[in-house]
Amino acid sequence: MTNLEKYTNVFVETLQIKAEQCENLKYQGVELWDSVGHMTLVAALEDTFDIMLDTDDIIDLSSYEKGMEILKKYDIDF
């Protein structure tokens, strides 16, 4: 499984959406991406990629695309 597939799968499973919905998805763009869902998403990303996100990066994670940008800082390539 590629990193992009893993990343997309975290969004799909955590937010209970279809993979097609991930593109252009923004914070609070779906019902489950609220403040609690955000922290669940962060925890799932950290577990999946074996990283620990900085507080600023957790706050900046405002969209599907922004998340990929942030993870590149942790040497996760897509």
Side-chain angles (χ1 to χ4, degrees):
M1 185 178 284
T2 67
N3 283 338
L4 180 58
E5 289 169 332
K6 290 179 193 177
Y7 179 73
T8 300
N9 198 47
V10 168
F11 275 78
V12 168
E13 290 187 9
T14 304
L15 303 177
Q16 299 175 8
I17 59 174
K18 294 180 180 169
E20 300 81 42
Q21 293 177 271
C22 290
E23 190 175 330
N24 298 317
L25 181 64
K26 298 194 179 340
Y27 176 64
Q28 295 186 333
V30 292
E31 184 178 350
L32 289 180
W33 198 357
D34 56 9
S35 59
V36 173
H38 187 75
M39 294 314 296
T40 304
L41 184 65
V42 166
L45 288 170
E46 290 177 334
D47 288 345
T48 299
F49 293 104
D50 195 29
I51 57 173
M52 192 66 135
L53 293 171
D54 292 333
T55 302
D56 288 342
D57 291 332
I58 292 170
I59 293 167
D60 287 344
L61 179 59
S62 58
S63 71
Y64 176 80
E65 287 78 10
K66 182 68 176 182
M68 285 191 282
E69 185 181 311
I70 290 168
L71 290 184
K72 287 178 183 175
K73 294 175 12 183
Y74 297 85
D75 297 322
I76 309 296
D77 293 318
F78 295 98

